Amino acid sequence: MDKIRIVGGNPLNGTIPISGAKNATLPLMIASLATADTLTLHNVPSLQDVVTLSRILGNHGVDYAVAGRRPGSQRTHGSTVRLTASEIVDTTAPYDLVRRMRASFWVIGPLVARMGEAKVSLPGGCAIGTRPVDFFLDALSALGANIEIDQGYAVASASNGLVGNRVTFPKVSVGATHVASMAAALARGESVIENAAAEPEVVDVAECLNKMGAKIEGAGTRTIHIQGVEELHGAEHTVVPDRIETGTYAMAVAMTGGKVRLEGARPQHLEAALETLKSAGVSIEVDDTGMTVARNGNGIQPVDVTTEPFPGFPTDLQAQLMALMTKAQGTSSIRETIFENRFMHVSELARLGAAIRLDGQQAFIEGQPTLQGAEVMATDLRASVSLVIAGLAAEGETTVGRVYHLDRGFENLEEKLSACGAQIERLVA
Ligand code: UD1
């Protein structure tokens, strides 16, 4: 299995181009199931999750074509992808495919809306918590689908089509908002989604669905109004830049010192995280096409942060912030409110010399003057990149194992960091 080897201590200086957002790309690809025409997506990042989802969609009959890939080229960035589901050949998403990536469960929305039936494996447990699917099933049921659980599968049927309705989520869920939006877009009549997720990726997907002929208003707020249409058509859409990748590199620069321009970043998509970084003593300059993050010789100040749905501090940056706070001049606290088991990076950061105490869903991080390189292991996507950030600032050598977690969600990570002066390389097994 591949590993990442880092020799810490170099500041980061240069420019990092920000990729298309993984968390927008996946639901945008899934939206292709909702039309028989071609959906063209630009700025699709080269990620393992994208490959996994393309296989799942292929199983349903989606023709997936990547434009202009040079023969033999392995790692690309920002591709244009054409997805055509002219015929849905199979409405079942089998366990073997769905278990690899939780978001693949989301195919249930467009499949039942377009075909009147879908049989999708329940995604099962996940390293960062139980992550149930009750909100999805309740939403589809409110839209008139009959739902049954059969031998580990969710079976949704609506032979006469879905019918618009009010869907009120008990808790904000990004995935359930995507699915309810896609299903309601093809339901008869009007739907209102209350307590909807307002994440920029929800807005991006709604914009794309509207280009496909949907009538969705209010995406980006807690209440989304959708007027159902009979069918959707093809469209062309550019994936929004990745705010989590942006925040991750901003924290890496804060950690190592230096000055890096994050080209294409949208600062308005991560205001809470940028405010946190500013209060920690990091300089952030915003311009028309991105932003520049810098930290001079001054140390990092401790912060107190609670993860929240957008526009609050994102859970997907929690591990990276914790890595940064291991070097703060004082004690920080981070409370996780979205997922119940998202502190697995704590024991790995401790191997690098971090002093972190856990009290339920809250972590107290006592900053240390130095971290020491060590062998560590990635446990999930965001946790693994927190180990890279810590390794960049640790003394000596750090190797991060199980890097397939990183490959799921960070495009050309080693290339981007080494172009800014980091000593980082992939050891191919
Ligand atoms: C998405 C993101 C993930 C991010 C998360 C929260 C993608 C591909 N993934 O995941 O990176 O960390 O949003 O911002 O976009 N819940 C239920 N029942 C349900 C659905 C969710 O109880 O049916 C709970 C979850 O367990 C969790 C909370 O709702 O506690 C929020 O999860 P949700 O927003 O659904 O996360 P995802 O959409 O899976």
Side-chain angles (χ1 to χ4, degrees), residues 22-23 26-27 102-103 106 128 130-136 171-176 178 199 243 315-316 337-340 342 382:
K22 170 183 89 73
N23 285 356
L26 301 179
R102 189 187 144 81
W106 304 352
I128 63 169
T130 50
R131 301 181 89 177
V133 293
D134 48 339
F135 302 165
F136 296 81
K171 183 175 172 184
V172 171
S173 161
V174 173
H178 285 311
E199 269 66 2
R243 66 195 164 99
T315 175
D316 284 352
T337 70
I338 309 292
F339 295 111
E340 73 267 28
R342 213 178 199 183
R382 310 305 178 183

Side-chain angles (χ1 to χ4, degrees), residues 32 35-37 61-63 84-88 114:
S32 70
T35 173
D37 297 344
V62 178
D63 182 51
T84 315
S86 46
E87 198 189 338
I88 301 289
R114 176 169 161 195

Side-chain angles (χ1 to χ4, degrees), residues 70-334:
R70 277 180 238 109
S73 74
Q74 289 279 313
R75 312 202 79 186
T76 53
H77 64 274
S79 307
T80 291
V81 167
R82 293 191 176 85
L83 303 105
T84 315
S86 46
E87 198 189 338
I88 301 289
V89 296
D90 193 344
T91 52
T92 299
Y95 176 64
D96 194 43
L97 294 175
V98 175
R99 72 183 168 84
R100 288 164 212 254
M101 191 179 61
R102 189 187 144 81
S104 51
F105 184 78
W106 304 352
V107 299
I108 196 168
L111 281 179
V112 70
R114 176 169 161 195
M115 303 302 292
E117 58 171 44
K119 183 176 172 188
V120 181
S121 169
L122 297 169
C126 161
I128 63 169
T130 50
R131 301 181 89 177
V133 293
D134 48 339
F135 302 165
F136 296 81
L137 302 183
D138 290 349
L140 292 176
S141 170
L143 295 171
N146 178 49
I147 305 286
E148 278 171 36
I149 302 295
D150 181 27
Q151 296 182 7
Y153 281 78
V155 184
S157 52
S159 45
N160 294 322
L162 296 175
V163 184
N165 199 354
R166 186 171 292 270
V167 173
T168 306
F169 290 120
K171 183 175 172 184
V172 171
S173 161
V174 173
T177 302
H178 285 311
V179 165
S181 303
M182 287 185 210
L186 283 172
R188 274 194 312 283
E190 200 186 325
S191 296
V192 182
I193 305 175
E194 287 175 328
N195 204 22
E199 269 66 2
E201 295 78 20
V202 169
V203 177
D204 201 43
V205 173
E207 276 174 11
C208 178
L209 288 169
N210 282 346
K211 287 180 196 165
M212 295 166 73
K215 294 185 174 155
I216 303 176
E217 277 178 21
T221 72
R222 287 275 171 261
T223 307
I224 301 180
H225 290 266
I226 301 173
Q227 186 66 49
V229 296
E230 211 156 286
E231 55 180 23
L232 297 177
H233 51 72
E236 219 171 296
H237 185 78
T238 300
V239 180
V240 69
D242 197 317
R243 66 195 164 99
I244 303 302
E245 189 197 27
T246 305
T248 299
Y249 289 126
M251 290 191 201
V253 181
M255 187 74 167
T256 61
K259 184 173 181 179
V260 172
R261 191 178 147 66
L262 301 175
E263 184 66 39
R266 300 248 176 104
Q268 67 273 29
H269 290 170
L270 69 160
E271 275 173 8
L274 296 183
E275 284 311 312
T276 300
L277 283 175
K278 281 183 196 162
S279 65
V282 180
S283 140
I284 293 167
E285 274 172 43
V286 170
D287 60 62
D288 289 348
T289 56
M291 63 195 216
T292 303
V293 180
R295 183 169 69 79
N296 53 28
N298 302 333
I300 294 288
Q301 299 309 307
V303 296
D304 296 320
V305 164
T306 299
T307 62
E308 283 165 357
F310 189 84
F313 189 95
T315 175
D316 284 352
L317 286 174
Q318 180 255 104
Q320 298 89 317
L321 179 69
M322 195 178 296
L324 175 61
M325 287 304 136
T326 61
K327 286 203 67 178
Q329 294 166 338
T331 302
S332 303
S333 78
I334 302 182

